[in-house]
Amino acid sequence: MMTRMLQTFLWKLLLRFALSLAAMAALVWLGYFLSGLLLRYNPSRSFPITRLLVAAINGIGSLPIMLAAGTALFLGLFFWMSRRFLQRFDAITDGLQQIAGGDLAHRIEDDSADELGAVSRSVNEMARRLAIAQQEERSAAQAKNDLITGVSHDLRTPLTSILGFLEYIQKDRYRDELELRQYVDIAYDKALVLRKLIDDLFEYTRVAGGSMPLQAEPVDLNPFLRQLADEYEPLLEEAGMACRVHPSGQPLLVQADPELLLRVFENLLTNAIRYGASGGAVDIYVRPAAGSASPDEEEADAAADQAAMPNETAAPMAEVVFRNYGEPIPPSHLPRLFDRFYRVDASRSRQTGGSGLGLAIVKSIVDLHGGVIEAASSKRRTEFIVRLPL
């Protein structure tokens, strides 16, 4: 493309050169013809211009005069014909220099349809993409700094407690064996929190960084979620909750990594148990994403909610909804639920061992499968909706 553009540029310059030469020849011939008429019809040299012309011819010669006039005419005509063309070329050069100097907001104003216009648009597009890449690089650097800050803060908290209680033990600052056992238990619990945070962080970096390969295979979501609910029955009983699975009327097959998909649903069920225990129940709905109503007949507005939910992709999707009836999530927190290290209630999350990475891991895994996840909360219920391509 660049070679063709240069060739076109040279041809246009040659064309202007030829036009300037032709126009110069025509004007010199016209001047020669008019001078001959002037000398023929004014032989007495009564006109001042005739006397001046004759003096110039006698003193310099007609050929040098014609050459000088032709050269001046040619240069003037060539400059005049090429001025706009060269100005546009200079604008492109100046634009490239400003962009190279870091001014990525600079744009070349040239909407013409020729090759230079195409070059101007290409340069503008290059500057736009460079600006986007620069912004993404800055965002990545900021995200990296935020990650380091979050990791440092979250690692420091349990580690400080562990070191503090170990210091008590090392310096024999406990009263009796019972207090020693209490210090050991606290240090052990904090060490478990620390290990969970490190494990979650390791898993998040693998999933979000794309280094975790998908071992995809067909998975039927109906028996998959029934088995998950059965495995969590002891934890549900301990929390005083019931788990009700509402399968679809037909098999819902998705192409997914079973281990990663289990991580998603385990995290969502654990969150429902952790923060929705006051509601006494967890409902899991498995259904096609479009056109199905909620099977919970006790809630009259459930069908309307599902009908109003947008279908985000053209491809058919399976939808899994985890619904609990505990305390609602404030609307201001919903957009940031899937950010890493974000907690709606930081103190409660730390008491229950939350790392602030669970939902970020869930979103990364769902994204890895080409799906979407969203959350909705009201005074009556809180829902986490996962949609996966069928």
Side-chain angles (χ1 to χ4, degrees):
M1 178 179 177
M2 185 62 67
T3 303
R4 187 171 63 252
M5 184 195 71
L6 290 174
Q7 290 176 349
T8 303
F9 179 74
L10 290 175
W11 277 112
K12 287 189 174 182
L13 283 180
L14 288 174
L15 178 61
R16 284 167 171 77
F17 182 87
L19 289 175
S20 301
L21 196 62
M24 178 271 296
L27 289 174
V28 169
W29 179 85
L30 180 62
Y32 180 80
F33 177 75
L34 292 176
S35 298
L37 289 179
L38 186 62
L39 292 174
R40 177 182 301 177
Y41 291 103
N42 189 24
S44 62
R45 304 176 186 176
S46 58
F47 297 153
I49 190 171
T50 306
R51 292 195 298 270
L52 183 62
L53 180 62
V54 171
I57 292 174
N58 292 332
I60 302 175
S62 60
L63 183 59
I65 292 175
M66 293 175 63
L67 288 175
T71 301
L73 283 171
F74 171 76
L75 293 175
L77 288 169
F78 184 74
F79 176 77
W80 178 74
M81 290 184 179
S82 305
R83 181 172 55 88
R84 172 61 180 162
F85 186 72
L86 294 175
Q87 283 177 347
R88 294 170 60 200
F89 192 79
D90 288 341
I92 294 174
T93 304
D94 180 67
L96 285 171
Q97 290 176 348
Q98 292 196 43
I99 292 170
D103 185 9
L104 299 181
H106 179 77
R107 295 294 181 267
I108 301 172
E109 301 294 336
D110 192 344
D111 297 329
S112 57
D114 61 3
E115 288 76 9
L116 286 182
V119 171
S120 300
R121 288 187 291 273
S122 298
V123 171
N124 291 339
E125 179 65 16
M126 178 191 69
R128 187 186 69 83
R129 293 186 180 183
L130 284 174
I132 293 175
Q134 186 181 73
Q135 183 60 40
E136 289 177 350
E137 182 180 356
R138 289 174 179 171
S139 300
Q142 183 62 41
K144 180 181 177 181
N145 293 334
D146 292 343
L147 179 62
I148 294 173
T149 302
V151 169
S152 301
H153 179 270
D154 282 57
L155 290 178
R156 186 186 298 115
T157 302
L159 187 59
T160 301
S161 297
I162 293 171
L163 292 175
F165 286 108
L166 290 178
E167 183 182 1
Y168 283 169
I169 296 172
Q170 183 187 33
K171 295 182 179 180
D172 298 327
R173 297 173 63 180
Y174 53 89
R175 291 189 299 268
D176 50 30
E177 189 72 21
L178 182 62
E179 190 172 45
L180 171 63
R181 174 62 60 182
Q182 181 182 3
Y183 289 167
V184 171
D185 289 342
I186 294 174
Y188 178 72
D189 290 340
K190 294 297 182 180
L192 291 178
V193 172
L194 189 61
R195 185 179 70 177
K196 184 179 186 304
L197 174 61
I198 293 173
D199 290 343
D200 287 347
L201 180 63
F202 178 70
E203 185 174 9
Y204 173 76
T205 53
R206 288 183 64 198
V207 175
S211 61
M212 180 179 289
L214 281 179
Q215 304 294 331
E217 60 183 69
V219 176
D220 189 346
L221 294 176
N222 290 317
F224 193 82
L225 286 159
R226 283 199 201 97
Q227 182 178 353
L228 174 67
D230 292 340
E231 292 175 355
Y232 271 71
E233 189 64 31
L235 190 59
L236 288 160
E237 289 182 0
E238 183 181 347
M241 301 179 71
C243 182
R244 302 182 291 253
V245 179
H246 306 272
S248 65
Q250 58 186 358
L252 283 183
L253 290 173
V254 296
Q255 194 75 11
D257 187 317
E259 184 178 347
L260 293 179
L261 198 60
L262 180 62
R263 180 75 166 91
V264 169
F265 295 145
E266 281 181 342
N267 191 292
L268 294 179
L269 183 54
T270 301
N271 273 2
I273 296 171
R274 182 181 297 161
Y275 303 122
S278 61
V282 179
D283 283 306
I284 302 176
Y285 297 101
V286 187
R287 59 198 175 199
S292 70
S294 170
D296 188 4
E297 296 180 357
E298 295 181 357
E299 301 187 27
D301 59 340
D305 290 345
Q306 296 304 319
M309 190 175 294
N311 188 13
E312 297 188 8
T313 63
M317 307 280 280
E319 182 175 86
V320 180
V321 180
F322 285 78
R323 177 184 296 175
N324 70 79
Y325 307 93
E327 294 181 7
I329 300 173
S332 60
H333 292 279
L334 288 174
R336 298 193 58 194
L337 277 181
F338 301 102
D339 293 350
R340 56 179 178 263
F341 299 115
Y342 186 78
R343 299 181 178 95
V344 176
D345 186 342
S347 60
R348 183 177 63 175
S349 295
R350 289 195 179 94
Q351 290 171 2
T352 54
S355 65
L357 285 170
L359 290 178
I361 293 172
V362 166
K363 185 178 187 308
S364 296
I365 295 175
V366 172
D367 290 345
L368 202 61
H369 285 81
V372 293
I373 183 170
E374 60 186 30
S377 187
S378 65
K379 293 181 179 179
R380 304 178 65 180
R381 61 177 180 261
T382 296
E383 292 181 340
F384 284 87
I385 305 106
V386 178
R387 299 188 185 92
L388 297 167
L390 285 171

